Amino acid sequence: MEPTKSVLNVNGIEVIYNHVILVLKGVSLNVPEGKIAAVLGGNGAGKTTTLRAISNLLKAERGEVTKGSIELRGERIENLTPADLVNRGVVQVMEGRHCFAHLT
């Protein structure tokens, strides 16, 4: 059986806010091609921060990925701009936002 290709691979990332506040340590996840992944956890568990790290939206919150790697289809993406990620199909839509109200 051939191994499944990963669309998204997050490997041991660490996120720090304001250069001092460690909010994520050692977070890893893998999304195989053709599959769906869910990020679950209680309030303050790091779900939003993980998604912001993947979509490279941490800078707006004074955060940064300081360790680990994030790959999309085998390409390291942690240094790409959010616009570059959107062009590659990575988009984060915040809960409760009515960005696409005309579609509902």
Side-chain angles (χ1 to χ4, degrees):
M1 186 175 194
E2 209 174 295
T4 306
K5 290 183 181 180
S6 291
V7 173
L8 178 67
N9 188 21
V10 178
N11 187 20
I13 63 169
E14 184 173 279
V15 173
I16 294 179
Y17 283 114
N18 296 322
H19 302 289
V20 295
I21 304 167
L22 178 64
V23 293
L24 290 182
K25 184 175 182 178
V27 172
S28 297
L29 65 94
N30 184 297
V31 181
E33 191 166 336
K35 302 294 181 184
I36 297 172
V39 179
L40 303 173
N43 290 347
K47 302 176 300 292
T48 300
T49 299
T50 300
L51 295 174
R52 284 181 181 154
I54 293 167
S55 54
N56 210 350
L57 295 173
L58 288 170
K59 286 188 172 83
E61 303 290 327
R62 298 169 79 187
E64 62 182 318
V65 175
T66 57
K67 289 186 182 174
S69 63
I70 304 170
E71 294 181 356
L72 180 68
R73 296 179 189 92
E75 175 189 14
R76 298 276 303 252
I77 62 170
E78 55 265 27
N79 292 319
L80 296 178
T81 67
D84 289 334
L85 289 169
V86 168
N87 287 333
R88 286 166 173 78
V90 177
V91 179
Q92 181 180 355
V93 178
M94 306 296 181
E95 179 183 356
R97 305 301 193 265
H98 299 285
C99 299
F100 306 107
H102 65 286
L103 297 177
T104 58

